[in-house]
Amino acid sequence: MLEGYVQIAIFFAVVLAVVKPLGIYMAKVFRGERLFLTPVLGPIERGAYKVLRVRPAEEGQDWKQYAKSLVVFSLLFWILLYLTLRTQGLDPWNPQGFHSAPWDVSFNTTSSFITNTNWQYYGGEVTLSYFAQMFGLAVQNFVSAAVGIAVLVALIRGIAARSGSSLGNFWQDLVRILLYLLLPISIIGALVLASQGVIQNLSDYSVIHTLTGGTQVLGQGPVASQEAIKMLGTNGGGFFNVNSAYPFENPSGFTNVVEMFLILCIPASLTYTYGRMVGSQRQGWAIFSAMAVLLIAGTVVAYVAEQHGTPAQHLAGLHTHAMDGSAGGNMEGKEQRFGIASSAVFTAVTTATSTGAVNNAFESLTGIGGAVPFANLGFSEVIFGGVGSGLYSMLLYAILAVFIGGLMVGRTPEYLGKKIGAREIKLVALGVLVTPLTVLLSSGLASATRAGTRSLYAGFNPQGFSETLYAYLSQANNNGSAWAGYTGFLQPHGPGNVGAYGISFADLLGGLVLIGARFLPILFVLAVAGAMAGKNVSPAGLGTMRTDNPTFVFLLLGIIILVGALTFFPAILLGPVVQGLSARLF
Amino acid sequence: MRGLGKELRTGLIAVVAMTIVLGLAYPLVVTGISQVLFSGAANGSKVSFDGRVVGSRLIGQEFKGKAYFHSRPSATEYSGDATFFANVGPNSVEGREEVRENLAAFIRENKPWDKSLTKEDVPVDAVTNSASGVDPQISEADARIQAHRIAAVRGLPLDEVEALIDGAVEGRGLGVFGEPGVNVLELNIALEEKAPLG
């Protein structure tokens, strides 16, 4: 396992190395400062403001105006994406002649991509035209990510504000995030991936006459361009159904590490950006440390558990130990080029962040290995989390930790010199609880109703319960990975996808969960930002509880684990943990 | 303070402009550059034998019969246009049966030429479903077991088959990331070049 730990350690070290430079760069992007790309992109940026008819310098927005712009923007894009998916038969670049998926599946897919989730009830290569992938989904991979980052920036401005109530201008944030951050990195990332074998074309599917005289049809498409932003924006929606396990999306151990880097680079570096924007790097590193502890713990647990193999394999007489020429472990649902280590670290990274791309089959994970994605989602995606959304959720937890710490020592809670009052703590509590509550209600409903259990693949056993619980955990946390047996769309593989139909209950409940658990927390976060912005800063004194030292990191970890465990531990026991602790089969 | 009408207008313009830039310009520019700079890789890393394209280096194929190295088990019949996971759970009875059958079949296929082969020697990847259904690789351990059968059937010395395997090993990314594996299609092509079947 030494080689495995070495590659995991090197990967995390590389991510750590970019935290500072990328963090500084992003602070400049958010502050509207001049960048090395400004000579090239500056005219485009100014042109964009002219076309959009906004004057960012004069049009600072309070939290309600910021929220209004965000909601209008997202709603309009929801409508456009839904129409794009519904009219697929009329669109160009549709070599397979696919018809639109049913309305309920389109509702789910649209809600999923608008919310940076990319939960997929459909298989891309058997459902969507190249046009729908590019013009519909790839655009969302950019803008939903930019919206998440914009909300974070607004919250940071609220926390850091010295006077006034302006949180910045939503349109300016959107334009600068897309233009200076997401687009340039995506272009580089896409070209690196394309050079390594990730396909990028608009050709028809290729019909191959194989070496031994068989026929194999290879799906084609503009994959690399989608793959880069899918990772960078922590979106995770695969061009192909098996996502980053498919060699045309992720052809080698090298592309695998590139893709994991694209996932983590922005969420990790945002902690540095945060420290810079509130004027204390230690604040950023404190948050980073809390996140890193949880991510590394999850990675190690997944690696050890997957290396062990499964009860089904052992009872079949298979030896899952390492030997000369094979690393052993639970290779069911995994690819040889990734092996156990690169599959385990990908699993931890994609679920700790709200990405949800997978390079192995989660439904085939061992019980305890499978508990890692459950736990990461159960912590509400604060372990680096989605771009922007991870840190804004984490900051809610930080305020909660300050509040609880304040209660324990009997002082008025303050965060970065701002007093936390009743209104703030109410909003924070709502923001923290709305996602877990959505998960428990929806997965309970789906488990208890006949309509809900139609989606099951594994049946009425712990594995089937895992499928249902994970489906709603994933959608509510805007992750998008799946225990993939769970389905909301049945496709009989007719030409042009004729005869496919959706399971309306799963599609609609999922769609509502997606939207609710994305936009309600965003509104609470913006409200917190607005409330914080108007507060005066009191100078730190001897009695101030520090939020930049190991004690606070420990307190913050405790709060996160406590909230997550109290909410989900009983449910997770019934699914993966039962499987991990038992050698029984069912 | 901007009214809702103004926000809607700005929103509409933003939606249209961003869709054109991010949904058309970006993927088409990346396609153009990739087609010029990396046309082989961007079009599926196809490999040829005997003057015709026989597959993609990256996509596994089904190989039957004793004379070819076999790929890993696939839940999708090695489909390249309709992929899905096998979704075999860790505690599933079907999973145990599947592994049991695959294990027995693997030993049945190889034991006649590798007398000392036991269950303990069989690497996990040889009897479990890959994730993609088209894993292009098998482990070295798997290939070295199959080498005995191939050598006998093709009438080659074992060390020549072993040398072909060495030539088809793909190492870790940058020497560090992932696991090494043997590319089955390239190995079988090399085999056909070395000792063609009848």
Side-chain angles (χ1 to χ4, degrees):
Chain A
M1 291 181 82
L2 182 66
E3 289 100 341
Y5 285 118
V6 168
Q7 54 180 282
I8 291 169
I10 293 177
F11 166 64
F12 285 135
V14 171
V15 172
L16 184 62
V18 300
V19 165
K20 184 176 174 184
L22 186 56
I24 292 173
Y25 179 83
M26 287 194 289
K28 288 184 178 168
V29 172
F30 305 153
R31 283 173 162 163
E33 291 170 15
R34 201 180 159 77
L35 299 148
F36 76 95
L37 286 171
T38 305
V40 188
L41 298 176
I44 302 176
E45 184 192 353
R46 287 190 294 278
Y49 299 143
K50 210 169 271 173
V51 173
L52 294 175
R53 301 190 205 178
V54 290
R55 293 187 306 275
E58 295 124 59
E59 292 176 358
Q61 295 174 309
D62 65 19
W63 80 267
K64 286 182 186 161
Q65 293 163 330
Y66 203 96
K68 188 164 81 179
S69 298
L70 184 151
V71 169
V72 164
F73 177 72
S74 300
L75 186 67
L76 289 172
F77 250 133
W78 193 99
I79 295 169
L80 176 68
L81 179 56
Y82 188 74
L83 291 177
T84 306
L85 294 175
R86 301 304 306 140
T87 55
Q88 185 170 253
L90 311 174
D91 299 336
W93 292 315
N94 186 0
Q96 298 297 97
F98 291 132
H99 297 274
S100 296
W103 68 275
D104 41 9
V105 175
S106 298
F107 174 81
N108 187 278
T109 305
T110 304
S111 309
S112 171
F113 278 77
I114 292 291
T115 58
N116 197 247
T117 310
N118 300 19
W119 172 267
Q120 297 169 293
Y121 274 131
Y122 63 92
E125 75 278 19
V126 291
T127 313
L128 292 180
S129 66
Y130 301 160
F131 182 81
Q133 296 264 24
M134 297 191 302
F135 190 86
L137 302 186
V139 176
Q140 287 316 311
N141 285 353
F142 279 101
V143 296
S144 68
V147 165
I149 298 175
V151 172
L152 169 69
V153 175
L155 176 61
I156 297 177
R157 289 194 189 115
I159 292 173
R162 288 290 175 268
S163 62
S165 60
S166 167
L167 299 178
N169 183 291
F170 174 74
W171 303 109
Q172 181 188 24
D173 288 338
L174 202 59
V175 166
R176 285 184 66 89
I177 291 165
L178 289 170
L179 204 56
Y180 291 106
L181 184 62
L182 298 179
L183 199 50
I185 303 181
S186 292
I187 291 173
I188 297 168
L191 292 175
V192 169
L193 292 175
S195 74
Q196 298 298 310
V198 179
I199 55 176
Q200 180 71 26
N201 61 56
L202 296 167
S203 317
D204 291 354
Y205 287 18
S206 341
V207 180
I208 303 277
H209 298 287
T210 63
L211 188 63
T212 52
T215 304
Q216 189 180 43
V217 182
L218 298 182
Q220 299 291 313
V223 179
S225 55
Q226 203 128 327
E227 194 72 15
I229 186 60
K230 156 192 157 189
M231 298 304 185
L232 185 67
T234 60
N235 296 283
F239 195 97
F240 293 93
N241 193 25
V242 293
N243 211 300
S244 293
Y246 197 65
F248 280 165
E249 285 199 26
N250 193 359
S252 65
F254 173 66
T255 56
N256 193 60
V257 80
V258 169
E259 292 184 8
M260 292 194 298
F261 176 80
L262 288 173
I263 292 176
L264 264 186
C265 65
I266 291 181
S269 305
L270 279 172
T271 58
Y272 195 92
T273 309
Y274 171 67
R276 204 167 171 86
M277 289 178 77
V278 298
S280 162
Q281 281 320 141
R282 287 176 58 98
Q283 298 289 343
W285 285 119
I287 302 268
F288 177 90
S289 311
M291 293 172 163
V293 166
L294 290 171
L295 179 61
I296 291 169
T299 304
V300 172
V301 170
Y303 185 22
V304 172
E306 292 310 304
Q307 189 63 50
H308 184 69
T310 71
Q313 287 157 5
H314 296 147
L315 289 171
L318 181 64
H319 289 252
T320 55
H321 51 71
M323 62 176 78
D324 203 21
S326 161
N330 172 24
M331 286 299 287
E332 170 67 40
K334 294 192 179 61
E335 296 282 286
Q336 175 64 29
R337 62 194 178 283
F338 308 139
I340 303 294
S342 278
S343 297
V345 63
F346 196 105
T347 300
V349 165
T350 194
T351 53
T353 67
S354 77
T355 308
V358 296
N359 75 350
N360 67 100
F362 280 11
E363 184 135 11
S364 301
L365 289 169
T366 61
I368 300 299
V372 169
F374 272 95
N376 284 341
L377 268 56
F379 296 141
S380 298
E381 300 288 31
V382 295
I383 313 172
F384 295 108
V387 286
S389 62
L391 187 51
Y392 69 60
S393 307
M394 186 58 142
L395 291 175
L396 294 187
Y397 272 94
I399 295 172
L400 193 62
V402 164
F403 176 71
I404 292 173
L407 289 183
M408 287 195 285
V409 297
R411 288 186 195 282
T412 314
E414 283 174 14
Y415 189 55
L416 297 174
K418 296 201 166 179
K419 290 201 166 43
I420 309 295
R423 176 180 159 78
E424 290 79 53
I425 204 66
K426 278 181 199 157
L427 290 168
V428 165
L430 285 169
V432 164
L433 290 179
V434 64
T435 303
L437 202 63
T438 312
V439 177
L440 292 179
L441 288 175
S442 55
S443 56
L445 193 62
S447 297
T449 55
R450 191 183 294 271
T453 52
R454 277 186 66 206
S455 295
L456 289 180
Y457 170 77
F460 295 95
N461 55 42
Q463 182 82 0
F465 181 72
S466 289
E467 287 179 358
T468 306
L469 177 61
Y470 198 83
Y472 293 96
L473 256 178
S474 176
Q475 293 180 86
N477 282 291
N478 302 134
N479 183 279
S481 59
W483 257 237
Y486 197 82
T487 184
F489 186 25
L490 296 158
Q491 296 167 281
H493 294 313
N497 226 351
V498 174
Y501 62 95
I503 298 175
S504 298
F505 178 90
D507 296 334
L508 299 184
L509 180 63
L512 295 174
V513 163
L514 285 159
I515 292 174
R518 166 78 166 180
F519 289 104
L520 289 177
I522 283 184
L523 293 179
F524 290 128
V525 166
L526 289 176
V528 170
M532 298 284 278
K535 289 189 179 269
N536 292 321
V537 179
S538 43
L542 273 178
T544 309
M545 192 177 87
R546 294 186 59 168
T547 53
D548 60 354
N549 58 12
T551 314
F552 180 74
V553 172
F554 194 73
L555 177 68
L556 181 57
L557 283 171
I559 301 286
I560 292 167
I561 293 171
L562 211 63
V563 172
L566 286 175
T567 317
F568 290 114
F569 194 61
I572 293 176
L573 270 184
L574 294 175
V577 176
V578 161
Q579 301 196 61
L581 296 181
S582 165
R584 275 191 53 193
L585 304 187
F586 33 79
Chain B
M1 180 77 194
R2 288 154 60 101
L4 188 62
K6 251 183 143 180
E7 286 298 325
L8 272 172
R9 191 186 60 196
T10 299
L12 271 175
I13 299 167
V15 163
V16 171
M18 288 175 186
T19 299
I20 291 169
V21 173
L22 305 169
L24 292 175
Y26 162 70
L28 294 180
V29 165
V30 173
T31 306
I33 298 174
S34 307
Q35 287 294 329
V36 172
L37 293 183
F38 330 107
S39 70
N43 291 314
S45 306
K46 308 249 168 66
V47 286
S48 299
F49 172 71
D50 228 9
R52 68 178 179 96
V53 172
V54 292
S56 163
R57 181 177 68 79
L58 297 174
I59 305 293
Q61 301 181 356
E62 180 166 34
F63 290 100
K64 289 190 220 163
K66 292 172 186 163
Y68 292 98
F69 284 93
H70 296 174
S71 304
R72 293 183 61 192
S74 164
T76 65
E77 296 175 345
Y78 305 91
S79 172
D81 63 342
T83 67
F84 50 88
F85 292 128
N87 291 325
V88 176
N91 299 59
S92 105
V93 176
E94 297 84 22
R96 179 193 60 195
E97 290 313 304
E98 206 180 329
V99 172
R100 203 173 259 167
E101 283 163 24
N102 288 342
L103 197 53
F106 187 85
I107 290 177
R108 201 168 50 238
E109 277 164 7
N110 293 293
K111 181 122 181 155
W113 294 277
D114 185 3
K115 298 288 185 215
S116 64
L117 184 67
T118 67
K119 273 198 262 187
E120 273 181 59
D121 305 320
V122 179
V124 187
D125 68 285
V127 294
T128 49
N129 294 300
S130 64
S132 62
V134 289
D135 194 334
Q137 296 179 327
I138 54 179
S139 66
E140 265 193 74
D142 182 355
R144 305 234 179 255
I145 294 170
Q146 296 194 49
H148 295 271
R149 184 188 77 229
I150 303 292
V153 173
R154 298 245 176 188
L156 280 171
L158 184 60
D159 56 354
E160 282 190 24
V161 179
E162 298 261 353
L164 291 179
I165 292 174
D166 292 339
V169 169
E170 297 170 328
R172 295 186 161 92
L174 303 177
V176 185
F177 299 109
E179 287 293 326
V182 179
N183 190 300
V184 183
L185 178 59
E186 293 196 329
L187 177 56
N188 281 327
I189 289 175
L191 197 60
E192 285 283 28
E193 281 166 354
K194 182 109 190 161
L197 272 186

